Amino acid sequence: MNTATVWPNSPSHAPSTEELTALHAWWRAANYLSVGQIYLMDNPLLRTPLTRDHVKPRLLGHWGTTPGLTFLYAHANRAIAQRDLNAIFVTGPGHGGPGLVAASYLEGTYTQTYPAITQDEAGLKRLFTQFSFPGGIPSHVAPETPGSIHEGGELGYALSHAYGAMFDNPDQIAFTVVGDGEAETGPLATSWHSNKFVNPHSDGVVLPILHLNGYKIANPTVLSRIGDAELEALMRGYGHEPFVFTGGFDDEDPLETHARFAALLDEVLDRVAAIKAEAAAAAEAGREYERPAWPMIVFRTPKGWTGPKQIDGKKTEGSWRSHQVPLASARDTDEHLADLDAWLRSYRAEELFDEDGALRPEIAAAAPTGTHRMSANPITNGGAVLRALRLPAFQDYAVDVPRPGGSVSEPTRVLGDWLRDVVAQNPDNFRIFGPDETASNRLQAVYDVTDKQWNADFVPEDLEEHLARSGRVMEMLSEHQCQGWLEGYLLTGRHGLFSSYEAFIHIVDSMVNQHAKWLKVTNEIEWRRPLASLNYLLSSHVWRQDHNGFSHQDPGFIDHMVNKKAEIVRVYLPPDANTLLSTYDHCLRSRQYVNVVVAGKQPNPNWLTMEEAVLHCTRGLGIWDWAGTEVEGVEPDVVLACAGDIPTIEVLAAARILREEMPELKVRVVNVVDLMRLQDDSEHPHGLSEKDFDGIFGTDVPVVFAYHGYPWLIHRLAYRHDRNGRIHVRGYKEEGTTTTPFDMLMRNDTDRFHLVMDVIDRVDGLGTRSAGLRQRMADERIRARAHAYAHGEDLPEVAGWQWDDNADEADAGKGTIADTGGDNE
Amino acid sequence: MNTATVWPNSPSHAPSTEELTALHAWWRAANYLSVGQIYLMDNPLLRTPLTRDHVKPRLLGHWGTTPGLTFLYAHANRAIAQRDLNAIFVTGPGHGGPGLVAASYLEGTYTQTYPAITQDEAGLKRLFTQFSFPGGIPSHVAPETPGSIHEGGELGYALSHAYGAMFDNPDQIAFTVVGDGEAETGPLATSWHSNKFVNPHSDGVVLPILHLNGYKIANPTVLSRIGDAELEALMRGYGHEPFVFTGGFDDEDPLETHARFAALLDEVLDRVAAIKAEAAAAAEAGREYERPAWPMIVFRTPKGWTGPKQIDGKKTEGSWRSHQVPLASARDTDEHLADLDAWLRSYRAEELFDEDGALRPEIAAAAPTGTHRMSANPITNGGAVLRALRLPAFQDYAVDVPRPGGSVSEPTRVLGDWLRDVVAQNPDNFRIFGPDETASNRLQAVYDVTDKQWNADFVPEDLEEHLARSGRVMEMLSEHQCQGWLEGYLLTGRHGLFSSYEAFIHIVDSMVNQHAKWLKVTNEIEWRRPLASLNYLLSSHVWRQDHNGFSHQDPGFIDHMVNKKAEIVRVYLPPDANTLLSTYDHCLRSRQYVNVVVAGKQPNPNWLTMEEAVLHCTRGLGIWDWAGTEVEGVEPDVVLACAGDIPTIEVLAAARILREEMPELKVRVVNVVDLMRLQDDSEHPHGLSEKDFDGIFGTDVPVVFAYHGYPWLIHRLAYRHDRNGRIHVRGYKEEGTTTTPFDMLMRNDTDRFHLVMDVIDRVDGLGTRSAGLRQRMADERIRARAHAYAHGEDLPEVAGWQWDDNADEADAGKGTIADTGGDNE
């Protein structure tokens, strides 16, 4: 698929003493600027004696991890410059923010991005003051930091993000620092296995660097306390070739430390170059290339390296005490102020910066230039390199709908046909991610044109199973990995979707929080260009997990998402195949959103022709006049509203019962595709004005609303529109088990019979006839349950219910909605 | 702490051919019953020719993993009986439900628990029919399954649950099966490291068995495709001694397979016994005992072992095709029906069950009896072995409150004093779990009486840092582990709490979903006795993460929890130290809840004496008449309501401004501790009746409500009470960054000045004077922000604000609420 470029193979050489001296000076400069950011608001070059007034009143930041990060950054820079690498730097310990800001400042990127932060003393004062300061910049590596694609506030995703960034970027390398605290998290612990998925030829390279500085906030780290033998076994077990480095202890001459690490990094990068060359040669020759043992580095250095050895008589360098701000009383006590002064002066700023306060050119020369600077790599501002997808006209994939309910389709299977051609037309910037469910969710048409990318061992049968060394589908049984990979892919300017079971997408609740925050902040940063949206396809949803039972039944991800900023979040519940096509086309064109799409994979009646579907989806909601019995120009007696494929079926069934049993009752049917339309327009850009809301839902009539998820969400969304409490919502109220599909609805009072009863209970003046109908509805429920309990299946008339009595004939052989036997994932 | 009992050391012997034959028969019986449960609803002993009518109409279940589980269960039974072990079985691949139901049926436990499922043909028919059948039992291992503490629907927590169950159960062993699909999840990948936390002497034993059957739903598993060398390195890297077993391939004689596995398991259990003996000897001698390499088993067998080799010409045994129901058309086609018949008859049920349909006694004798049956181990019905905590009188830990706001405390630090004594008085059934934050959240008083349990390497400094080989505090930087350990601990009848940063508790959203579901279901199962509640202490909350920034700011866990069943969830927001004490005492006494407690760790004014606090917490909410200006017997003009420590401060500050500036305005101040009180009593057992609600919030006056979290939640909870939209809520609206505490409030319009403006905007008829006050309030906000941006800190009068002007004198030296310098975690 990819035309992998040749990996640069510039000859490396051991650095000279002059080069090491410049490298060391660059590191000292980065450390000096880091300490300055944490502590100082004035006197940035210490050209006058340090006083308390130069120290910030609130000392906020994290020193402990920072010098290790700057050391690695400096050495990566040497290698990049010498080898002409295209590299990014992923900072797992993202709280080491000052180090990354310092690096981009020293590279000039920071000043180019933020011209007020000049390369002189005044600029340094601003650089220092703004850090962790009101109106300034965050204390962590953040969207504000040039070159960053990874916040690192919530730990665990550095490797997943890095691999996501490297997919389809065959000429790139991600220096990826994994903190040893972060390494204890679950997501990080499994993300090492990403190396079984990356393709050595058509993808880029992730170089993991496990930064073993030994301590978290208040505890040692697990991986620093298992001995070298176990740690190396662990890394080999993860499929890596570990290179272990220890530095910063026992007063080693820093130039010696630099020389040793430079040699180790050269050995590692030579190994990388060899793998890339072998992979290219194999590709050229059409040979298989077995997964190599990718190198990784164990980097054991003291926490708070180069900082105060002791403070108040307690060990600080090499201890958890240097995690944050070691000299917390620098503004308050003479002792701490003096310690800070000595610490800052130990970097000898006068040798690093010239009279004006600019980095001396011989030191600046130690780093690469232009887009070879990791802080200026174009892929780290993904929107700037984003290419729009080539999208086949989704209308061409429409299913035929002779009349509402007149045909039956599996919506996600129809979507799969379109996605097949999206994949085919975008061979290098679109991927589908999922735990194990691309086929289970009926998207298997994509396998006509691509495979699942897999670089672990193969057996002969795999070839029939669409496993291959490269492909557009990424499946690993870890929602964290799928989410992290996709985020990394999007953040570097590509497109994708995540297909998952609805209940288990909660596994990534906290990850999507962070991505939504990233989008929110980047919306406020002019130089950050818009990214492709993060698209979910949640199938195998709550109503059709009757076979897997209660543990698989949870529609709450929607609730989770609507707490995010309104400008970020979109939620769609397309009721059939054509609306799903129209919705997903919109999602793949959109930017800077998180799009949550819930859609069924089971045979489902088709309600709208493609022309109607486009109209309906563009409106986001609408009256289905063919389904109701209202009279033009007159307020209906009741509104039956629905959102979600299964609630739509139940509402239409209820409407049909009412039409037959009480033809005089004026029923309006409303379907909602875009859930955010229910909000007030003051709250969400998709929200309705009061007038528009009343135009659809009537002004003073009862609304019986059947909703896909937890009923309260509808109240919450429509709150401002529902002054008089006329909206009555049915939905999933956490009642479930292993049972039949219709029994699931009954347990949650969301079945058609209950909806009819709800209408009867809410419309005044229906007279005595309604009492009889109400009782018959209650009887139908008893009958349905009794049948299910006796026979293990739903009554044919509820399972195979058809809106259109003629549909059977017209579409014989297309399957009916009762056809669920094969679905048992 | 624990008086560890002596590990049983019965001599083991290689099983005789007779024993192996009985073992094999037991396994065949378990497999036969499993297949029967998935497929049959009649003719359970195949005493008449199999017809389609005997087959269930909907075939729902998972065969693939089941025969491996039953094999392991059978062998565990042999070892238990021979060695007199106290064991439980944790089924990571919980979808292998039929296997575990079959095992407990064969052991007799099932019939004892459910007398209708008799040990005869009629009972077998019921056993088969009920499985995955409406009105029957779930398809997974579930609360309904005797002996289960682990559902396994959402994968990844088997080892965490098992270790949690084994803490403080020194005489127990957990045979813990980890599916190779599950092994790809993040939480499982890090949970192997639990062996660095378990104490070999005072805790029980987890024996992990990695069930490598090679396939997930549609893909091979990663760990089955990395070769034995990498896999063994991985297990050694995780700190285990791996024992690799391969069986079920190449038509090996089953008795030979059994003999080989029995020998391997004996070797493993001898190693376990040796470790326990060494640890006991070391404890006896007061010697250190270094972490051993605990044994684990790699168990490589075909997926769908003993099932059809091929179906429709496609490989089934040993393939992903046997994951669920291999013969999906058994009711529909003659071929599949015949295949099913042959499959069932291959187990030769006539040799296994007697005339009546009962298991033959010589086969039953292969399993242990009484509470040595894993399905009848008392700890798996935790509530039955639960001992109530000895709780010191929390009133004795009260802080002195001379008058409201007359003293200042750090609430969690005060709680820590009480928890210290809870720990001391309950040395073997109470633990505190947290990622790295027990001290950061100010609970460090507990270290006066206990330590952090740690069994990785030590360095000398650790001894000062409260690390020890056994202790009551469990810290690992994985919220998944903390949650999983705590769940396992609670499920086996103990008590605990989980202390976490508020934002990052979302990491376990999906886990707490499953625990809440477990509680909901067990409430409906009479024989399951109530468990101690799962208690959260969320400190470092949204309003005091100004230093860490936006990534650390998220109060949405409360929203997530309120979707659970009302009878399960409790949310408390104690506004000060005494209310926190009273709240937590209640939580530790409660059963079957998830208690979410959000409390600050920063210096905070104390508002209520202990007597008042108890009254207030018992009511759950109340009018603070000392803070308002209302006149008895007259409706107030406005209600200022608050929930959460910081909003309480702002509301009280706003009330004071109003009292001083507009003394004629009748202001009522309401504080809410128990958030569920805001619901209607029809929705939550803690809910208020309409009359009670109106009694507190007035009937028709505006309510300005300052809330800790996302404002919509208050609307959602109070929905039924707020017919006329008079409640106006301020809270966190996802605006944050690194800034000052007061600026955080201003960014979200929740500061005192804005609350005063909200009152002015909502109360009619305030006249012209209010316009001037409104403008002054707006000016105060500008002044506060300008000061923060210029000086990096809050204005002294907002940071050090005091309700009571005399407080300074009265409580000099106690610290003020401005004292936040030391908090930078």
Side-chain angles (χ1 to χ4, degrees), chain A residues 133-183:
Chain A
F133 203 86
I137 64 168
S139 65
H140 292 198
V141 182
E144 287 87 343
T145 316
S148 168
I149 60 162
H150 174 83
E151 221 266 2
E154 180 177 298
L155 302 172
Y157 317 122
L159 282 174
S160 300
H161 282 168
Y163 277 99
M166 291 299 103
F167 291 139
D168 298 318
N169 272 326
D171 64 334
Q172 298 268 352
I173 182 168
F175 292 95
T176 306
V177 186
V178 176
D180 51 353
E182 167 175 34

Side-chain angles (χ1 to χ4, degrees), chain A residues 13 53 107 122 304 366 406 409 425 476 658 667 670 707:
Chain A
H13 66 264
D53 290 344
E107 293 183 324
S409 302
Q425 294 183 31
M476 179 172 167
L658 288 168
V667 176
V670 172
Y707 169 54

Side-chain angles (χ1 to χ4, degrees), chain A residues 71-72 192 207-213 223-224 226-236 240-249 252 256-257 259-268 294-301:
Chain A
F71 184 96
L72 293 168
W192 297 102
L207 176 61
I209 303 167
L210 178 61
H211 188 190
L212 221 57
N213 70 21
L223 295 189
S224 72
I226 60 174
D228 281 346
E230 265 185 34
L231 182 60
E232 289 186 42
L234 185 64
M235 291 300 134
R236 287 185 199 283
H240 280 292
E241 181 185 1
F243 290 77
V244 180
F245 181 82
T246 301
F249 297 96
E252 186 183 37
E256 180 56 29
T257 312
R260 287 196 299 114
F261 190 76
L264 179 138
L265 186 58
D266 274 335
E267 192 183 346
V268 164
W294 286 102
M296 64 78 60
I297 297 172
V298 175
F299 183 64
R300 195 189 286 268
T301 57

Side-chain angles (χ1 to χ4, degrees), chain A residues 29-244:
Chain A
N31 289 340
Y32 180 80
L33 296 185
S34 299
V35 182
Q37 288 177 78
I38 296 174
Y39 291 91
L40 299 186
M41 57 194 293
D42 206 346
N43 193 14
L45 288 167
L46 296 184
R47 289 188 173 160
T48 65
L50 186 66
T51 71
R52 294 181 182 194
D53 290 344
H54 301 148
V55 179
K56 298 182 185 183
R58 299 178 81 222
L59 296 172
L60 308 176
H62 293 78
W63 164 247
T65 188
T66 299
L69 294 173
T70 50
F71 184 96
L72 293 168
Y73 201 102
H75 279 266
N77 270 352
R78 186 192 72 85
I80 292 165
Q82 198 175 95
R83 291 167 187 262
D84 207 25
L85 297 173
N86 277 330
I88 67 172
F89 196 84
V90 177
T91 313
H95 51 286
L100 277 291
V101 170
S104 74
Y105 178 80
L106 293 175
E107 293 183 324
T109 320
Y110 209 88
T111 304
Q112 286 162 7
T113 311
Y114 303 105
I117 310 294
T118 44
Q119 299 274 339
D120 54 20
E121 188 169 0
L124 282 173
K125 180 181 163 175
R126 281 194 286 267
L127 179 76
F128 286 5
T129 304
Q130 70 169 4
F131 175 78
S132 255
F133 203 86
I137 64 168
S139 65
H140 292 198
V141 182
E144 287 87 343
T145 316
S148 168
I149 60 162
H150 174 83
E151 221 266 2
E154 180 177 298
L155 302 172
Y157 317 122
L159 282 174
S160 300
H161 282 168
Y163 277 99
M166 291 299 103
F167 291 139
D168 298 318
N169 272 326
D171 64 334
Q172 298 268 352
I173 182 168
F175 292 95
T176 306
V177 186
V178 176
D180 51 353
E182 167 175 34
E184 294 177 21
T185 67
L188 199 290
T190 202
S191 66
W192 297 102
H193 291 299
S194 299
N195 57 20
K196 282 103 207 174
F197 294 86
V198 73
N199 182 290
H201 180 55
S202 51
D203 297 324
V205 176
V206 173
L207 176 61
I209 303 167
L210 178 61
H211 188 190
L212 221 57
N213 70 21
Y215 288 93
K216 296 169 285 193
I217 297 180
N219 281 300
T221 60
V222 170
L223 295 189
S224 72
R225 298 293 187 89
I226 60 174
D228 281 346
E230 265 185 34
L231 182 60
E232 289 186 42
L234 185 64
M235 291 300 134
R236 287 185 199 283
Y238 276 135
H240 280 292
E241 181 185 1
F243 290 77
V244 180

